[in-house]
Amino acid sequence: MNMPKLIAGNWKMNGLAAESRARVEALAALAEGRPLPRAEIVLCPPFTLIQQTVGVLKGAFSLITCGGQDCHASPSGAFTGNISAPMLKDLGCEYVILGHSERRQLHGETSAQVAAKAVAAHAAGLAAIICVGETEAERGAGKAEEVVLAQLSDSIPSGATPGNTVIAYEPVWAIGTGKVASLDDIAAMHAVIRAKMGVPTRLLYGGSVKGNNAAEILSIANVDGVLVGGASLNPEEFWTIAQGA
Ligand code: PGA
């Protein structure tokens, strides 16, 4: 694996302008003058904060990049309320999260729709962070691998390459619950995903990653980064997670 580990922060629907500016400035201050973590750091704020976040990072710490949390499959058109991949690129984004379980569950997003969005992201020059993961019931029924493999097959478009696609394995039951998957379960699922995706594709783990568990998760074989929700809202904790790389 030659690519650096990827530490991605998903702010979800959190933050108004002033507190969010302070959060990014605090992160930049933590990074300043310190040895860089051997990782690429991406912040994915809500759409409303992307422009401001890109601006603060440009001025203060250009090695942290920005991503969106979703995009539409079309580049433009009559889609009230949606945001397109070229719009994200235009704002300075390098990444977009697609198929997060909250989109799949709360917005009924299908894997086919995720694949179409990934095509749009690639066409706009964005790398797609495609999320997959089983529910607690699916794991309980012994179907976790089957579910994840089906989501991978249907969510990843044919033009995916290790340069334009990152996979995030996020067991739904571990998101925002404080219940982290066991190291053995993460290793087992990442081995399955690695076998499907091939070597250079980066595979992230997500689900209750915190400052106190990131280093051990990041040291598991085939874990090439983490997708962090709640803990990415705290600059000190997010920086500690990045140091775990
Ligand atoms: P969490 O969220 O870190 O708050 O569990 C992860 C995610 O939803 O990407």
Coordinates of all heavy atoms in Angstrom, one line a residue, residues 55-127:
G55 N -11.8 27.8 2.4 CA -11.1 29.0 2.5 C -10.2 29.1 3.7 O -9.0 29.5 3.6
V56 N -10.6 28.6 4.9 CA -9.8 28.6 6.1 C -8.6 27.6 5.9 O -7.5 28.0 6.2 CB -10.6 28.1 7.3 CG1 -9.7 27.9 8.5 CG2 -11.8 29.1 7.6
L57 N -8.9 26.5 5.3 CA -7.8 25.5 5.1 C -6.7 26.0 4.1 O -5.5 25.8 4.3 CB -8.3 24.2 4.6 CG -9.2 23.4 5.6 CD1 -9.8 22.2 4.9 CD2 -8.3 22.9 6.8
K58 N -7.2 26.7 3.1 CA -6.3 27.3 2.1 C -5.3 28.3 2.8 O -4.1 28.3 2.5 CB -7.0 28.0 1.0 CG -6.9 27.3 -0.3 CD -7.4 28.3 -1.4 CE -7.9 27.4 -2.6 NZ -9.2 27.9 -3.1
G59 N -5.9 29.1 3.6 CA -5.1 30.1 4.3 C -4.2 29.5 5.3 O -3.1 30.0 5.5
A60 N -4.7 28.5 6.0 CA -4.0 28.0 7.2 C -3.2 26.7 7.0 O -2.1 26.5 7.5 CB -5.0 27.9 8.3
F61 N -3.8 25.8 6.3 CA -3.2 24.5 6.3 C -3.7 23.7 5.1 O -4.7 23.0 5.2 CB -3.6 23.7 7.6 CG -2.8 22.5 7.9 CD1 -1.4 22.7 8.2 CD2 -3.3 21.3 7.8 CE1 -0.6 21.6 8.4 CE2 -2.5 20.2 8.0 CZ -1.2 20.3 8.3
S62 N -3.0 23.8 4.0 CA -3.5 23.4 2.7 C -3.4 21.8 2.6 O -3.9 21.3 1.6 CB -2.8 24.1 1.6 OG -1.5 23.9 1.7
L63 N -2.8 21.1 3.5 CA -2.7 19.7 3.4 C -4.0 18.9 3.8 O -4.1 17.8 3.6 CB -1.5 19.2 4.1 CG -0.2 19.6 3.5 CD1 1.0 19.3 4.4 CD2 0.0 19.0 2.1
I64 N -4.9 19.7 4.4 CA -6.2 19.1 4.7 C -7.1 19.5 3.6 O -7.2 20.6 3.3 CB -6.7 19.6 6.1 CG1 -5.7 19.2 7.2 CG2 -8.1 18.9 6.4 CD1 -6.2 19.8 8.6
T65 N -7.8 18.5 3.0 CA -8.7 18.8 1.9 C -10.2 18.7 2.4 O -10.5 18.3 3.5 CB -8.5 17.9 0.7 OG1 -8.6 16.6 1.1 CG2 -7.1 18.1 0.1
C66 N -11.1 18.9 1.4 CA -12.5 18.9 1.8 C -13.3 18.0 0.9 O -12.9 17.7 -0.3 CB -13.1 20.3 1.5 SG -13.6 21.1 3.0
G67 N -14.4 17.5 1.4 CA -15.3 16.6 0.6 C -16.7 17.0 0.9 O -17.0 17.6 2.0
G68 N -17.6 16.5 0.0 CA -19.0 16.6 0.3 C -19.6 15.4 0.9 O -18.8 14.4 1.1
Q69 N -20.8 15.4 1.4 CA -21.4 14.2 2.0 C -22.4 13.5 1.1 O -22.9 12.4 1.5 CB -22.2 14.7 3.3 CG -21.3 15.3 4.3 CD -22.1 15.9 5.5 OE1 -23.3 15.6 5.6 NE2 -21.5 16.7 6.3
D70 N -22.6 14.0 -0.1 CA -23.5 13.4 -1.0 C -23.5 14.2 -2.3 O -23.0 15.4 -2.3 CB -25.0 13.4 -0.5 CG -26.0 12.7 -1.5 OD1 -25.6 11.7 -2.1 OD2 -27.1 13.3 -1.6
C71 N -23.9 13.7 -3.4 CA -24.1 14.5 -4.6 C -25.2 13.9 -5.5 O -25.5 12.7 -5.3 CB -22.8 14.7 -5.4 SG -22.3 13.2 -6.3
H72 N -25.7 14.6 -6.4 CA -26.7 14.1 -7.4 C -26.0 13.4 -8.5 O -24.8 13.6 -8.8 CB -27.5 15.3 -7.9 CG -28.8 14.8 -8.5 ND1 -28.9 14.4 -9.9 CD2 -30.1 14.6 -8.0 CE1 -30.1 14.1 -10.1 NE2 -30.9 14.2 -9.0
A73 N -26.7 12.5 -9.2 CA -26.1 11.8 -10.3 C -26.0 12.6 -11.6 O -25.3 12.2 -12.5 CB -26.9 10.5 -10.6
S74 N -26.8 13.7 -11.6 CA -26.7 14.6 -12.8 C -25.8 15.8 -12.6 O -25.8 16.3 -11.4 CB -28.1 15.1 -13.2 OG -28.9 14.0 -13.7
P75 N -25.2 16.3 -13.6 CA -24.3 17.5 -13.4 C -25.1 18.7 -13.1 O -24.6 19.7 -12.5 CB -23.5 17.6 -14.6 CG -24.2 16.8 -15.7 CD -25.1 15.8 -14.9
S76 N -26.3 18.8 -13.6 CA -27.2 20.0 -13.4 C -28.6 19.7 -13.8 O -28.8 18.6 -14.4 CB -26.7 21.2 -14.3 OG -26.8 20.8 -15.7
G77 N -29.5 20.5 -13.6 CA -30.9 20.3 -14.0 C -31.9 20.6 -13.0 O -31.7 21.2 -12.0
A78 N -33.2 20.2 -13.3 CA -34.3 20.6 -12.5 C -34.4 19.6 -11.3 O -35.2 18.6 -11.3 CB -35.6 20.5 -13.3
F79 N -33.5 19.7 -10.3 CA -33.5 18.8 -9.2 C -33.5 19.7 -7.9 O -32.4 19.9 -7.3 CB -32.3 17.9 -9.2 CG -32.3 17.0 -10.5 CD1 -31.4 17.3 -11.5 CD2 -33.2 16.0 -10.6 CE1 -31.4 16.5 -12.7 CE2 -33.2 15.2 -11.8 CZ -32.3 15.5 -12.8
T80 N -34.6 20.2 -7.6 CA -34.7 21.2 -6.5 C -34.1 20.7 -5.2 O -34.5 19.6 -4.8 CB -36.2 21.6 -6.3 OG1 -36.7 22.1 -7.5 CG2 -36.3 22.6 -5.2
G81 N -33.2 21.4 -4.6 CA -32.6 21.0 -3.3 C -31.4 20.2 -3.4 O -30.7 19.9 -2.4
N82 N -31.0 19.7 -4.7 CA -29.9 18.9 -4.8 C -28.6 19.6 -5.1 O -28.7 20.8 -5.6 CB -30.1 17.8 -5.8 CG -31.1 16.7 -5.3 OD1 -32.2 16.5 -5.9 ND2 -30.7 16.1 -4.3
I83 N -27.5 19.0 -4.9 CA -26.2 19.5 -5.2 C -25.4 18.6 -6.1 O -25.5 17.4 -5.9 CB -25.4 19.7 -3.9 CG1 -26.1 20.5 -2.9 CG2 -24.0 20.3 -4.2 CD1 -26.1 22.0 -3.0
S84 N -24.8 19.1 -7.2 CA -24.1 18.2 -8.1 C -22.6 18.0 -7.8 O -22.0 18.8 -7.1 CB -24.3 18.7 -9.6 OG -23.5 19.8 -9.8
A85 N -22.1 17.0 -8.4 CA -20.6 16.7 -8.2 C -19.8 17.9 -8.8 O -18.8 18.3 -8.1 CB -20.3 15.4 -8.9
P86 N -20.1 18.5 -10.0 CA -19.3 19.6 -10.5 C -19.4 20.8 -9.5 O -18.5 21.6 -9.4 CB -19.9 20.0 -11.8 CG -20.6 18.7 -12.3 CD -21.0 18.0 -11.1
M87 N -20.5 21.0 -8.8 CA -20.7 22.1 -7.8 C -19.7 21.9 -6.7 O -19.1 22.8 -6.2 CB -22.1 22.1 -7.3 CG -23.1 22.6 -8.3 SD -24.8 22.4 -7.7 CE -25.7 23.1 -9.1
L88 N -19.6 20.6 -6.2 CA -18.6 20.3 -5.1 C -17.2 20.6 -5.6 O -16.4 21.2 -4.9 CB -18.8 18.9 -4.7 CG -20.1 18.5 -4.0 CD1 -20.1 16.9 -3.7 CD2 -20.2 19.2 -2.7
K89 N -16.9 20.1 -6.8 CA -15.5 20.3 -7.3 C -15.3 21.8 -7.4 O -14.2 22.3 -7.1 CB -15.4 19.7 -8.7 CG -14.1 19.7 -9.3 CD -13.1 18.8 -8.5 CE -11.7 18.8 -9.1 NZ -10.8 18.0 -8.3
D90 N -16.3 22.6 -7.9 CA -16.1 24.0 -8.1 C -15.8 24.7 -6.8 O -15.1 25.7 -6.7 CB -17.5 24.5 -8.6 CG -17.4 25.9 -9.2 OD1 -16.4 26.2 -9.9 OD2 -18.4 26.6 -9.1
L91 N -16.4 24.2 -5.7 CA -16.1 24.8 -4.3 C -14.7 24.4 -3.8 O -14.3 24.9 -2.8 CB -17.2 24.3 -3.3 CG -18.6 24.9 -3.5 CD1 -19.5 24.2 -2.5 CD2 -18.5 26.4 -3.2
G92 N -14.1 23.4 -4.5 CA -12.7 23.1 -4.0 C -12.7 21.7 -3.3 O -11.7 21.3 -2.7
C93 N -13.8 20.9 -3.5 CA -13.8 19.6 -2.9 C -12.9 18.6 -3.7 O -12.8 18.8 -4.9 CB -15.2 19.0 -2.8 SG -16.2 19.8 -1.6
E94 N -12.3 17.6 -3.0 CA -11.6 16.6 -3.7 C -12.3 15.2 -3.6 O -12.0 14.3 -4.3 CB -10.2 16.4 -3.1 CG -9.3 17.7 -3.2 CD -8.9 18.0 -4.6 OE1 -8.9 17.1 -5.4 OE2 -8.6 19.2 -4.8
Y95 N -13.2 15.1 -2.6 CA -13.9 13.9 -2.3 C -15.4 14.1 -2.2 O -15.8 15.2 -1.9 CB -13.4 13.3 -1.0 CG -12.0 12.7 -1.0 CD1 -10.9 13.5 -0.8 CD2 -11.8 11.4 -1.3 CE1 -9.6 13.0 -0.8 CE2 -10.5 10.8 -1.3 CZ -9.4 11.7 -1.1 OH -8.1 11.1 -1.1
V96 N -16.1 13.0 -2.2 CA -17.5 13.0 -1.8 C -17.9 11.7 -1.2 O -17.5 10.6 -1.7 CB -18.5 13.4 -3.0 CG1 -18.4 12.4 -4.2 CG2 -19.9 13.5 -2.5
I97 N -18.5 11.7 -0.1 CA -19.0 10.5 0.6 C -20.3 10.1 -0.2 O -21.2 10.9 -0.4 CB -19.4 10.7 2.1 CG1 -18.1 11.1 2.8 CG2 -20.0 9.5 2.7 CD1 -18.4 11.6 4.3
L98 N -20.4 8.8 -0.5 CA -21.7 8.3 -1.2 C -22.2 7.1 -0.6 O -21.4 6.2 -0.1 CB -21.3 8.1 -2.7 CG -21.0 9.3 -3.5 CD1 -20.6 8.9 -5.0 CD2 -22.1 10.3 -3.6
G99 N -23.5 7.0 -0.5 CA -24.1 5.7 0.0 C -23.9 5.5 1.5 O -24.0 4.4 2.0
H100 N -23.7 6.6 2.3 CA -23.7 6.5 3.7 C -25.0 5.8 4.2 O -26.0 6.0 3.6 CB -23.5 7.9 4.3 CG -23.3 7.8 5.8 ND1 -24.3 7.6 6.7 CD2 -22.1 7.9 6.5 CE1 -23.7 7.6 7.9 NE2 -22.4 7.8 7.8
S101 N -24.9 5.0 5.2 CA -26.1 4.3 5.7 C -27.2 5.2 6.1 O -28.4 4.8 5.9 CB -25.7 3.4 6.9 OG -25.3 4.1 8.0
E102 N -26.9 6.4 6.5 CA -28.0 7.4 6.8 C -28.7 7.8 5.5 O -29.9 8.0 5.5 CB -27.5 8.6 7.6 CG -27.1 8.2 9.0 CD -26.0 9.0 9.7 OE1 -25.6 10.1 9.2 OE2 -25.5 8.5 10.7
R103 N -28.0 7.9 4.4 CA -28.7 8.1 3.1 C -29.5 6.9 2.6 O -30.6 7.0 2.1 CB -27.6 8.5 2.0 CG -26.7 9.7 2.4 CD -27.2 11.0 2.0 NE -28.2 11.1 1.0 CZ -29.1 12.2 0.9 NH1 -29.0 13.2 1.8 NH2 -29.9 12.3 -0.1
R104 N -28.8 5.7 2.8 CA -29.5 4.5 2.4 C -30.8 4.3 3.2 O -31.8 3.9 2.7 CB -28.6 3.3 2.5 CG -27.4 3.3 1.5 CD -26.5 2.1 1.8 NE -25.3 2.1 1.0 CZ -25.1 1.4 -0.2 NH1 -26.1 0.8 -0.7 NH2 -23.9 1.5 -0.8
Q105 N -30.7 4.5 4.5 CA -31.8 4.2 5.4 C -32.9 5.3 5.4 O -34.1 5.0 5.4 CB -31.3 3.9 6.8 CG -30.5 2.7 6.9 CD -30.4 2.2 8.4 OE1 -30.2 3.0 9.3 NE2 -30.4 0.9 8.5
L106 N -32.4 6.5 5.5 CA -33.4 7.6 5.7 C -33.9 8.2 4.4 O -34.9 8.9 4.4 CB -32.8 8.7 6.6 CG -32.2 8.3 7.9 CD1 -31.5 9.4 8.6 CD2 -33.3 7.8 8.8
H107 N -33.2 8.0 3.3 CA -33.6 8.6 2.0 C -33.8 7.5 1.0 O -34.0 7.7 -0.2 CB -32.5 9.5 1.5 CG -32.3 10.7 2.4 ND1 -32.9 11.9 2.2 CD2 -31.5 10.9 3.5 CE1 -32.6 12.8 3.2 NE2 -31.7 12.1 4.0
G108 N -33.8 6.2 1.5 CA -34.1 5.1 0.6 C -33.1 4.9 -0.6 O -33.5 4.4 -1.7
E109 N -31.9 5.4 -0.4 CA -31.0 5.3 -1.5 C -30.6 3.9 -1.8 O -30.2 3.1 -0.9 CB -29.7 6.1 -1.2 CG -29.4 7.2 -2.1 CD -28.2 8.1 -1.7 OE1 -27.1 7.6 -1.7 OE2 -28.5 9.2 -1.3
T110 N -30.6 3.5 -3.1 CA -30.2 2.1 -3.5 C -28.8 2.1 -3.9 O -28.2 3.1 -4.3 CB -31.1 1.6 -4.6 OG1 -30.8 2.5 -5.8 CG2 -32.6 1.7 -4.3
S111 N -28.2 0.9 -4.0 CA -26.8 0.8 -4.5 C -26.7 1.2 -5.9 O -25.7 1.8 -6.3 CB -26.4 -0.7 -4.3 OG -26.2 -1.0 -3.0
A112 N -27.8 1.0 -6.7 CA -27.7 1.4 -8.1 C -27.6 3.0 -8.2 O -26.9 3.5 -9.0 CB -29.0 1.0 -8.9
Q113 N -28.4 3.6 -7.3 CA -28.3 5.1 -7.2 C -26.9 5.6 -6.8 O -26.3 6.5 -7.3 CB -29.4 5.7 -6.3 CG -30.7 5.6 -6.9 CD -31.9 5.9 -5.9 OE1 -31.8 5.6 -4.7 NE2 -32.9 6.6 -6.4
V114 N -26.3 4.8 -5.8 CA -25.0 5.2 -5.4 C -24.0 5.0 -6.5 O -23.1 5.9 -6.7 CB -24.6 4.2 -4.2 CG1 -23.1 4.5 -3.8 CG2 -25.5 4.5 -3.0
A115 N -24.1 4.0 -7.3 CA -23.2 3.8 -8.4 C -23.3 4.9 -9.4 O -22.3 5.4 -10.0 CB -23.5 2.4 -9.1
A116 N -24.6 5.4 -9.7 CA -24.8 6.5 -10.6 C -24.2 7.8 -10.1 O -23.6 8.5 -10.9 CB -26.3 6.7 -10.9
K117 N -24.3 8.0 -8.8 CA -23.6 9.1 -8.2 C -22.1 9.1 -8.3 O -21.4 10.1 -8.5 CB -24.1 9.3 -6.7 CG -25.5 9.6 -6.6 CD -25.9 9.7 -5.1 CE -27.4 10.2 -5.0 NZ -27.7 10.7 -3.6
A118 N -21.6 7.8 -8.1 CA -20.1 7.7 -8.2 C -19.6 8.0 -9.6 O -18.6 8.6 -9.8 CB -19.8 6.3 -7.8
V119 N -20.4 7.6 -10.6 CA -20.0 7.9 -12.0 C -20.0 9.4 -12.2 O -19.0 10.0 -12.8 CB -21.1 7.3 -13.0 CG1 -20.9 7.9 -14.4 CG2 -21.0 5.8 -13.0
A120 N -21.0 10.1 -11.6 CA -21.0 11.6 -11.7 C -19.8 12.2 -11.0 O -19.2 13.1 -11.4 CB -22.3 12.1 -11.1
A121 N -19.5 11.6 -9.8 CA -18.4 12.1 -9.0 C -17.1 12.0 -9.8 O -16.3 12.9 -9.9 CB -18.3 11.4 -7.7
H122 N -16.9 10.8 -10.4 CA -15.6 10.6 -11.1 C -15.5 11.5 -12.3 O -14.5 12.1 -12.6 CB -15.6 9.1 -11.6 CG -15.5 8.1 -10.5 ND1 -15.9 6.8 -10.6 CD2 -15.1 8.3 -9.2 CE1 -15.7 6.2 -9.4 NE2 -15.2 7.1 -8.6
A123 N -16.7 11.7 -13.0 CA -16.7 12.6 -14.2 C -16.3 14.0 -13.8 O -15.7 14.8 -14.6 CB -18.1 12.6 -14.9
A124 N -16.6 14.4 -12.6 CA -16.3 15.8 -12.1 C -14.9 15.9 -11.5 O -14.5 16.9 -11.1 CB -17.4 16.2 -11.1
G125 N -14.2 14.7 -11.5 CA -12.9 14.8 -10.9 C -12.8 14.6 -9.4 O -11.8 15.0 -8.7
L126 N -13.9 14.1 -8.8 CA -13.9 13.8 -7.4 C -13.7 12.3 -7.1 O -14.1 11.5 -7.9 CB -15.3 14.1 -6.8 CG -15.8 15.6 -6.8 CD1 -17.3 15.6 -6.4 CD2 -14.9 16.5 -5.9
A127 N -13.0 12.1 -6.0 CA -12.9 10.7 -5.6 C -14.1 10.4 -4.7 O -14.5 11.2 -3.9 CB -11.6 10.5 -4.8

